[in-house]
Amino acid sequence: MASTTLQGLPASPGIAVGRCWTVDRRRLRTPRRKVTEQEVETELDRLDVAIDLSVQQLDGVRAKFQASDGAEHLAIIDVHRAMLRDPSLVDEVRRLVRVERVNVEWAVKRAVRKIKGAFDADDEFFRERRSDVDYVGERIVKNLMGQGSDAAEMPPPGSIVVARDLSPADTALFFHDRRVAALVTDAGGVTSHTAIVARALEIPAVVGTGKASTSAERGDWLVVDGSHGLVVLNPSAAERAEYEAARVRQMEREAELTRLKDLPAETVDGVRLRMVGNIEFGEEVPGLLSHGGEGVGLYRTEFLFMGRSELPTEEDHYRDYRALLDAMGGRPVTVRTFDLGGDKLPSGQKDHSENPALGLRAVRYCLRHPDLFYAQLRAAVRAAAHGNLRIMFPMVSGVAEVRAAKWALAEAFEQVVAQGLPARMPPVGVMVELPSAAVVADRIAREVDFLSIGTNDLIQYAIGVDRQNMDVAYLYRPLHLAVLRMLKSVAEAARAAGISVSMCGEMAGEPLYTLVLLGLGLDELSMNGPSIPEVKRVIRGASAREGRELLDRILDLNTADDIEREVRAEMARRFPGLLEGGARVGPVSG
Amino acid sequence: MGRLERSFVIVNSLGLHARPAAMVVQASNRFRCEIQFEKDGLQINAKSIMGVLTLAAARGASVLVICEGDDAEQAMAAIGKVFESGFGER
């Protein structure tokens, strides 16, 4: 039989090869009949018994989970538990039995339908809640009909479970002893409970395939590629072998990356860099730590301002920074002050100037709006008293702006102290992302405790190219000679002033550039958590000296093309496989 | 016997989603008094998770909590704590 491939949604990454175990979750046929007046009380008693039983069953399922499985899916069970006793469900069922004299099974079905009507089907959140209500209703009806037991047959170890949809209880049963290799459902989105549980337990999963459960049969061979949302039905022996090999490679790579996690980012000639993360939400902290992040190099605070009608208060900022510092467990956290303006302003204001990229943005906007700026600064100096907080100002153009921002910080500090609140003056740094700041970095370096190079903006402003503009995006070249010269002079300026210099643009997390960055002599690289291990691997396999030699060589070249060719050739020679997409497991066949 | 009203702003990033809804419903069900939540003119029973979910209160939204009955004061204190904690989230 020829293989077929179904495209679903990538719910949990990883590859699995195994035999299909379909789970039949066809809906029950709900009986319908009229009840007599004498039967009403008996029916209502049956309802109470069925609800009690359902609650007990969920408690039993909940007990199977370990706390380490993540709080999120325990929460789904709590939601179902609350729904089982929800007055809007129970009262409606009672009313239907009493007034319309229908049997309780049918009344449950009708009440569920009514509640679902209140949830908008176009919204993913509500779609999930509709399936929660369905699940709860189904469980009550099953118990009413004496079919509520979960003593389902268990799949053999290594099976791939395929179902129309899975309830959290199903998921718990199949997964609590880790015997299932992967999970495929017809329904669901990437935020469905199936997806959440699969990610928490690191089991590959594809959801939203539409028809996997009707296409595959028990015992069929299946391949699941959870990273790309692919399910291959009846793969050929060759395809199976290919995926099996990819799975093994991936496991080896993961093992290596895990091994790397606690090793320092140190070159063979003893140069030690700090690997830190760019984050926007506290939820990203576990992923950052699990990849070996040694701190937060860039905390984007703009998120605090979005989706709300009023500015965040000092307390909002303070609570947020404290929580992040706590979550990072004493590691340094670099808070970047408000970096919006221009086209993106809080609370729906809009800048209608011709050229927002060159307009009232970032620290310029902050200096013009002290209410916004001081709330953030006061919160930062307060939070700094309790943790390893550093503060960083974005988009400064020269020494005058650095001084203005520092003056505001000092004033905020004094205000807080005058109020008798605990405060500490945090280390102060600036982003070097305007060419003017790069050119006068030597002067700026005398005013601050650290520099952080924001390459994304620096490249755009230096070359005068908007990389969102498809007509000129090809000109966006991190290895443009002008960019390299600026990076070099910023790094030298920091060294001369005896302060640390880091990089927090995308360039920092791209292994292609790692050797060049080593040549520059940066102290810290800040990137998304998942990029850390690969970059660290390069650092640990290289010497700072060869980085400097490469940098010298490319600074003699003229065009970005020539420079990139040279860097690629060097990286391919020194780190074979690194640039061939080896960092991520791609689809192996067709 | 009293009636209390207080507004709370949703502070956690994900808003009043499923898990926080279960939390506030659990808290509400510990009290005898009637507890209503009101947002954008929609009023629901805080002891009903279905009701709380239909509020779909996002971060920054303001929810009016109304407690009416013997233990209204204790209920308001308990529910206020849950809201102010950001449901234990960020």
Side-chain angles (χ1 to χ4, degrees):
Chain A
M1 194 194 284
S3 70
T4 23
T5 301
L6 296 180
Q7 177 74 58
L9 300 168
S12 177
I15 291 173
V17 180
R19 290 195 185 267
C20 171
W21 179 270
T22 45
V23 177
D24 190 3
R25 281 288 175 267
R26 266 178 310 204
R27 290 272 143 82
L28 288 174
R29 238 186 101 80
T30 310
R32 176 182 190 174
R33 63 187 175 86
K34 282 278 175 192
V35 295
T36 63
E37 197 183 337
Q38 291 75 22
E39 286 174 316
V40 164
E41 288 312 312
T42 323
E43 283 297 286
L44 295 179
D45 287 346
R46 288 178 64 220
L47 175 67
D48 292 341
V49 170
I51 289 176
D52 285 346
L53 199 53
S54 304
V55 170
Q56 279 171 28
Q57 286 159 353
L58 285 190
D59 286 346
V61 169
R62 199 180 195 288
K64 286 204 168 87
F65 278 106
Q66 298 150 11
S68 60
D69 291 342
E72 232 175 320
H73 51 279
L74 291 179
I76 295 172
I77 295 174
D78 288 342
V79 169
H80 289 180
R81 218 173 166 284
M83 284 183 170
L84 279 169
R85 300 215 187 268
D86 197 294
S88 70
L89 176 66
V90 180
D91 294 351
E92 177 66 7
V93 174
R94 289 174 188 281
R95 191 190 68 80
L96 287 167
V97 173
R98 281 218 171 89
V99 178
E100 306 216 356
R101 296 277 169 80
V102 294
N103 62 320
V104 72
E105 288 91 343
W106 192 253
V108 169
K109 189 185 165 115
R110 292 247 321 253
V112 161
R113 199 188 306 153
K114 183 175 169 191
I115 289 167
K116 280 165 66 185
F119 294 150
D120 178 4
D122 290 338
D123 178 295
E124 180 170 357
F125 172 73
F126 280 133
R127 259 202 316 274
E128 293 297 337
R129 301 293 78 81
R130 286 164 70 105
S131 76
D132 289 335
V133 183
D134 266 333
Y135 168 76
V136 164
E138 227 173 291
R139 177 156 292 264
I140 299 174
V141 172
K142 275 185 188 166
N143 279 317
L144 285 165
M145 297 170 68
Q147 298 179 18
S149 159
D150 285 308
E153 324 162 69
M154 288 301 285
S159 300
I160 294 176
V161 167
V162 179
R164 189 181 59 77
D165 199 1
L166 288 173
S167 70
D170 294 329
T171 314
L173 278 169
F174 290 132
F175 287 165
H176 78 274
D177 59 358
R178 311 285 197 273
R179 53 198 286 145
V180 163
L183 180 63
V184 177
T185 62
D186 298 352
V190 292
T191 62
S192 63
H193 46 248
T194 307
I196 291 166
V197 174
R199 279 196 296 274
L201 302 183
E202 299 182 359
I203 291 166
V206 176
V207 300
T209 57
K211 56 180 181 185
S213 73
T214 48
S215 311
E217 288 187 26
R218 243 180 220 200
D220 285 354
W221 277 102
L222 292 181
V223 164
V224 175
D225 177 352
S227 313
H228 298 91
L230 297 176
V231 180
V232 185
L233 308 175
N234 299 307
S236 65
E239 281 174 311
R240 256 168 34 212
E242 260 181 286
Y243 271 100
E244 184 57 34
R247 189 182 71 82
V248 170
R249 276 201 305 279
Q250 173 186 280
M251 283 178 57
E252 285 168 357
R253 182 173 295 276
E254 268 164 22
E256 196 201 339
L257 296 184
T258 309
R259 190 178 57 77
L260 274 174
K261 178 175 142 307
D262 298 317
L263 293 174
E266 187 173 327
T267 62
V268 295
D269 49 355
V271 173
R272 171 83 161 86
L273 280 81
R274 194 160 67 173
M275 307 299 279
V276 292
N278 295 343
I279 71 168
E280 191 165 3
F281 310 105
E283 287 78 5
E284 295 170 83
V285 166
L288 174 60
L289 295 177
S290 74
H291 286 96
E294 300 170 80
V296 173
L298 169 61
Y299 176 46
R300 303 183 169 103
T301 56
E302 293 70 41
F303 171 74
L304 281 164
F305 294 84
M306 308 318 285
R308 54 195 300 160
S309 47
E310 286 156 32
L311 285 176
T313 63
E314 178 181 328
E315 287 306 313
D316 291 335
H317 284 290
Y318 177 69
R319 251 200 315 259
D320 190 73
Y321 303 161
R322 283 290 306 268
L324 180 56
L325 287 164
D326 286 349
M328 288 302 295
R331 297 175 184 83
V333 171
T334 306
V335 173
R336 180 180 69 185
T337 58
F338 185 70
D339 190 33
L340 294 183
D343 46 344
K344 286 177 271 171
L345 286 172
S347 57
Q349 305 165 48
K350 235 178 162 68
D351 175 2
H352 295 290
S353 69
E354 284 278 296
N355 212 335
L358 306 180
L360 189 64
R361 298 184 43 189
V363 79
R364 306 165 178 182
Y365 187 91
C366 289
L367 291 168
R368 185 74 74 80
H369 294 89
D371 47 340
L372 175 156
F373 199 30
Y374 276 71
Q376 191 164 29
L377 296 178
R378 290 167 46 94
V381 299
R382 286 175 56 198
H386 303 279
N388 198 347
L389 183 145
R390 315 197 301 168
I391 197 159
M392 175 161 82
F393 301 113
M395 215 193 169
V396 298
S397 59
V399 171
E401 265 171 345
V402 175
R403 288 184 181 155
K406 279 181 67 184
W407 194 84
L409 180 67
E411 198 179 47
F413 176 75
E414 276 164 26
Q415 289 170 2
V416 171
V417 171
Q419 279 179 288
L421 294 170
R424 183 175 69 87
M425 196 62 179
V428 180
V430 294
M431 300 264 302
V432 178
E433 52 190 337
L434 288 176
S436 61
V439 170
V440 300
D442 55 331
R443 306 295 172 82
I444 292 176
R446 295 179 200 159
E447 313 269 334
V448 296
D449 303 307
F450 63 96
L451 299 177
S452 185
I453 307 172
T455 47
N456 300 9
D457 275 340
L458 182 62
I459 296 165
Q460 297 202 81
Y461 285 119
I463 308 179
V465 53
D466 173 4
R467 68 172 169 162
Q468 306 301 325
N469 179 337
M470 290 326 286
D471 290 326
V472 293
Y474 71 97
L475 288 169
Y476 180 94
R477 302 296 289 272
L479 294 176
H480 192 292
L481 183 58
V483 175
L484 287 176
R485 284 184 173 177
M486 278 190 212
L487 296 181
K488 184 161 185 265
S489 84
V490 173
E492 280 167 359
R495 256 197 308 282
I499 63 171
S500 77
V501 55
S502 69
M503 178 178 283
C504 62
E506 276 164 36
M507 210 175 165
E510 177 53 66
L512 172 64
Y513 305 123
T514 305
L515 206 46
V516 176
L517 304 187
L518 278 177
L520 289 168
L522 302 177
D523 301 296
E524 181 181 274
L525 299 179
S526 192
M527 64 197 78
N528 295 329
S531 304
I532 291 177
E534 201 68 47
V535 172
K536 193 195 266 185
R537 196 160 69 87
V538 173
I539 292 173
R540 291 181 56 81
S543 70
R545 189 176 146 195
E546 65 180 316
R548 285 193 295 273
E549 285 166 3
L550 174 63
L551 183 63
D552 283 344
R553 260 197 333 273
I554 59 178
L555 284 169
D556 278 338
L557 302 173
N558 291 305
T559 69
D561 280 344
D562 287 347
I563 294 173
E564 191 173 325
R565 203 173 301 120
E566 178 68 25
V567 171
R568 278 187 183 280
E570 179 69 13
M571 295 308 284
R573 188 181 69 75
R574 287 286 286 106
F575 301 93
L578 179 74
L579 307 180
E580 282 130 43
R584 283 150 208 99
V585 178
V588 178
S589 63
Chain B
M1 190 79 180
R3 178 187 161 96
L4 290 172
E5 283 191 18
R6 243 179 97 188
S7 267
F8 295 95
V9 174
I10 306 287
V11 295
N12 64 317
S13 60
L14 297 173
L16 192 47
H17 65 97
R19 193 187 73 90
M23 277 176 84
V24 291
V25 170
Q26 266 171 22
S28 302
N29 273 312
R30 289 206 305 271
F31 299 95
R32 288 185 309 277
C33 62
E34 291 217 350
I35 307 174
Q36 304 279 318
F37 289 174
E38 192 181 305
K39 183 192 146 244
D40 301 330
L42 178 64
Q43 204 179 81
I44 56 89
N45 176 0
K47 296 181 179 179
S48 157
I49 187 163
M50 317 284 195
V52 174
L53 287 169
T54 53
L55 288 183
R59 181 181 193 141
S62 173
V63 175
L64 181 68
V65 177
I66 305 155
C67 299
E68 194 163 6
D70 292 340
D71 49 0
E73 213 165 301
Q74 294 92 313
M76 184 62 88
I79 292 167
K81 219 178 264 172
V82 175
F83 271 95
E84 280 164 357
S85 75
F87 316 112
E89 299 177 359
R90 285 160 40 87

